[in-house]
């Protein structure tokens, strides 16, 4: 068969785009070549509904070994006692957690999307907000999670589940405090650590596992694996909440979650992606992943300082993790204008609502900036000043096409120092 040059030329074009630009989308990263190679392999041909040793099809003996390896390695990464590696994405993982814990119409409490939360934490546009009664807490004027509001709402509304986790929040979480109020009202605590997972795995941020009953994550952000989702428990539960499976039987939490992933919300697992997850977890266990995590935090701190020095307003005045949220109103720019102009200079990030934003989600007053991808490219603290100077030059000259084009040239030259997948030619 002839090679599909149309598709492969586009893939090549995307590689060139990734090589030449500065990638600051906080949820993106660059996997190792091995992780990508594992994804493009023959387990993609295999149907394997069920779990290792309990499949609905024959011929699963090898994918059983692959999936078991992924589970075992993931458990070691987070010191977990149980893990499910089948969720196709973070949203799928979260859908399974809801399905395991909640009945339609029941209440849960999560961080508001407009305050840094996630779509699957109760946005009215998402299954989580449509199927269940979503209640929200926010952040204070200082940009820190409003724990008092969270506690007050929890006590007043008695939600079945409290979600902690965010997609645009630059500070660490007080999981212990959330668990304390959850215990008062008998709620399940669910941590979605999709963003900071790699920093938690390396012990650089607070550990949610002892305080949160259930933990989900994506695998492609700070964990630097393939695109996908996972669910984990450190402590399995005899199910003090009395939650039943669809047949009305009492089950442990791990059994409820397994059932909620398959057959509850997914069919055949993506065993080629699970193979790539196993490779990524192996890299975390065998390489100096802590050094990467430390560099991510050092780079984020250096970048925050460089923005502060230029008069940019960071929500919460800084960062504990891999990202920062910047309010551009004092620079007379919208998030939309900033994103679109920076794109022209091959600097990629996303517009983002800031807490108490007066602009629509399509325009926004802010940008979210993250360093996991540029840290993987090999940048250190000294490079953060250069990156911020490029951003500032573009934003301060957003209507000057020549100046923006000149920065693009500088960006492309600068990025030649940081080779990406040289093996691919
Ligand atoms: N879309 C992801 C992010 O950018 O944070 C969250 O799912």
């Amino acid at each position: 068969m002839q090679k599909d040059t149309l598709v492969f030329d586009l893939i090549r074009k995307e590689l060139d785009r990734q090589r030449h630009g500065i990638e600051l989308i906080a949820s993106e990263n660059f996997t190792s070549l091995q992780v990508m190679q594992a994804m493009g392999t023959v387990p993609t041909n295999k149907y394997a509904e069920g779990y290792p040793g309990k499949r609905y099809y024959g011929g699963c003996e090898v994918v059983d070994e692959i999936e078991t390896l992924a589970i075992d390695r993931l458990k070691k990464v987070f010191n977990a006692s149980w893990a499910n590696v089948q969720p196709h994405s973070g949203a799928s993982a979260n859908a399974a957690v809801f399905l395991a814990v909640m009945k339609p119409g029941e209440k849960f409490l999560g961080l508001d999307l407009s305050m840094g939360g996630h779509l699957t934490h109760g946005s009215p546009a998402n299954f989580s907000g449509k199927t269940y009664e979503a209640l929200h807490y926010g952040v204070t004027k200082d940009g820190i999670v409003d724990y008092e509001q969270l506690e007050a709402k929890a006590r007043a509304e008695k939600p079945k589940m409290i979600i902690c986790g965010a997609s645009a929040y630059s500070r660490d979480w007080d999981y212990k405090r959330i668990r304390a109020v959850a215990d008062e009202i008998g709620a399940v605590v669910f941590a979605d650590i999709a963003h900071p997972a790699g920093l938690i795995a390396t012990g650089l941020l607070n550990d949610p596992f002892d305080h949160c009953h259930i933990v989900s994550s994506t695998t492609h952000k700070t964990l630097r694996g393939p695109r996908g989702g996972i669910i984990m428990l450190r402590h399995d539960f005899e199910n003090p909440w009395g939650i039943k499976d669809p047949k009305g039987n009492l089950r442990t939490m791990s059994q409820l979650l397994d059932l909620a992933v398959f057959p509850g919300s997914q069919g055949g697992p993506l065993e080629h992606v699970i193979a790539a997850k196993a490779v990524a977890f192996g890299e975390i266990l065998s390489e100096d992943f802590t050094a990467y995590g430390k560099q991510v935090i050092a780079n984020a701190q250096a970048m925050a300082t460089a923005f502060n020095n230029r008069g940019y307003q960071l929500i919460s005045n800084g960062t504990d993790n891999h990202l920062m949220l910047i309010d551009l109103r004092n620079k007379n720019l919208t998030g939309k204008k900033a994103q679109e102009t920076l794109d022209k200079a091959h600097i990629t990030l996303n517009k983002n609502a800031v807490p108490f934003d007066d602009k629509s989600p399509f325009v926004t007053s802010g940008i979210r900036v993250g360093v996991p991808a540029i840290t993987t490219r090999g940048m250190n603290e000294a490079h953060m000043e250069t990156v911020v100077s490029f951003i500032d030059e573009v934003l301060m000259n957003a209507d000057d096409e020549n100046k923006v084009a000149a920065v693009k040239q500088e960006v492309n030259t600068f990025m030649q120092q940081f080779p990406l997948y040289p093996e691919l030619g």
Side-chain angles (χ1 to χ4, degrees):
M1 207 176 130
Q2 250 191 338
K3 186 172 176 183
D4 189 338
T5 49
L6 199 54
V7 173
F8 283 97
D9 285 353
L10 287 171
I11 292 171
R12 180 73 206 189
K13 216 167 148 184
E14 173 60 11
L15 172 61
D16 289 340
R17 188 195 69 80
Q18 293 185 10
R19 279 179 172 165
H20 295 151
I22 299 180
E23 182 52 72
L24 298 172
I25 293 178
S27 47
E28 294 191 10
N29 212 329
F30 299 107
T31 72
S32 70
L33 192 61
Q34 260 201 120
V35 166
M36 278 199 298
Q37 284 167 335
M39 259 186 290
T41 55
V42 293
T44 192
N45 298 326
K46 189 73 198 96
Y47 252 122
E49 277 110 326
Y51 290 101
K54 289 171 283 180
R55 306 281 191 184
Y56 284 82
Y57 293 102
C60 288
E61 59 277 11
V62 183
V63 293
D64 274 4
E65 284 190 61
I66 291 173
E67 190 167 332
T68 302
L69 188 58
I71 291 168
D72 289 346
R73 286 181 175 177
L74 177 59
K75 285 183 348 196
K76 277 197 197 116
V77 167
F78 286 101
N79 189 19
S81 67
W82 170 89
N84 187 311
V85 295
Q86 292 193 2
H88 302 331
S89 67
S92 304
N94 292 355
V97 173
F98 273 98
L99 193 62
V101 173
M102 311 262 301
K103 289 203 197 74
E106 287 185 330
K107 291 179 188 172
F108 72 96
L109 183 59
L111 179 62
D112 202 305
L113 180 61
S114 69
M115 299 271 177
H118 188 253
L119 267 179
T120 58
H121 301 179
S123 158
N126 182 261
F127 78 89
S128 54
K130 289 180 191 290
T131 314
Y132 309 98
E133 187 179 339
L135 306 164
H136 288 116
Y137 55 91
V139 297
T140 63
K141 289 278 175 219
D142 296 331
I144 307 290
V145 162
D146 190 339
Y147 291 97
E148 281 179 21
Q149 185 191 37
L150 184 159
E151 288 162 343
K153 282 208 177 179
R155 289 184 185 118
E157 301 277 356
K158 302 207 172 16
K160 178 117 175 244
M161 183 163 81
I162 302 177
I163 308 182
C164 37
S167 52
Y169 184 62
S170 63
R171 295 297 179 181
D172 204 352
W173 286 77
D174 189 343
Y175 302 108
K176 196 173 174 186
R177 184 166 176 180
I178 296 173
R179 173 64 182 267
V181 71
D183 281 348
E184 274 180 43
I185 60 165
V188 175
V189 186
F190 164 34
D192 175 349
I193 61 166
H195 265 267
L199 305 177
I200 290 169
T202 44
L204 298 167
L205 291 177
N206 292 337
D207 183 348
F209 280 84
D210 279 332
H211 306 295
C212 304
H213 301 103
I214 306 171
V215 179
S216 78
S217 183
T218 52
T219 44
H220 49 274
K221 298 186 176 89
T222 46
L223 284 177
R224 223 159 53 176
R227 194 159 285 278
I230 46 179
I231 310 175
M232 297 162 284
L233 303 174
R234 181 166 293 159
H235 309 285
D236 201 355
F237 305 98
E238 289 310 317
N239 189 355
W241 307 278
I243 302 168
K244 297 197 172 112
D245 73 11
K247 290 185 177 155
N249 300 315
L250 269 182
R251 303 273 200 162
T252 63
M253 188 51 78
S254 62
Q255 289 169 334
L256 289 167
L257 289 164
D258 271 341
L259 285 168
V261 174
F262 173 81
S265 55
Q266 290 190 172
L270 310 177
E271 292 293 345
H272 56 305
V273 178
I274 291 174
K277 287 175 180 172
V279 173
F281 303 149
E283 289 173 353
I284 293 171
L285 292 169
S286 62
E287 291 174 10
D288 197 356
F289 201 71
T290 306
Y292 169 68
K294 282 186 178 159
Q295 192 63 57
V296 165
I297 290 180
N299 284 352
Q301 304 277 337
M303 182 176 271
T305 302
F307 274 120
N308 268 325
N309 290 344
R310 286 173 171 77
Y312 287 86
Q313 289 194 335
L314 271 61
I315 303 301
S316 85
N317 281 325
T319 179
D320 296 328
N321 57 26
H322 60 296
L323 67 82
M324 61 215 74
L325 191 57
I326 302 176
D327 187 339
L328 292 171
R329 282 178 286 199
N330 69 330
K331 300 283 186 184
N332 292 320
L333 278 167
T334 64
K336 181 174 191 287
K337 174 82 175 175
Q339 177 187 314
E340 288 173 358
T341 316
L342 286 163
D343 244 344
K344 291 183 191 152
H346 292 182
I347 298 170
T348 315
L349 47 67
N350 62 286
K351 63 177 183 277
N352 214 104
V354 295
F356 314 104
D357 209 328
D358 54 354
K359 300 200 177 60
S360 85
F362 302 103
V363 178
T364 79
S365 296
I367 49 174
R368 185 184 66 163
V369 191
V371 300
I374 55 173
T375 305
T376 299
R377 291 289 295 264
M379 290 191 204
N380 60 33
E381 295 97 307
H383 301 114
M384 297 304 110
E385 174 58 31
T386 310
V387 170
V388 172
S389 72
F390 288 147
I391 294 172
D392 189 45
E393 178 76 5
V394 170
L395 295 184
M396 292 306 99
N397 297 284
D399 292 318
D400 184 335
E401 281 184 19
N402 292 334
K403 283 214 167 130
V404 173
V407 176
K408 182 186 84 173
Q409 289 303 329
E410 286 184 74
V411 164
N412 294 160
T413 307
F414 175 68
M415 290 314 290
Q416 285 171 9
Q417 297 169 70
F418 308 103
L420 182 66
Y421 307 125
E423 305 87 341
L424 298 179

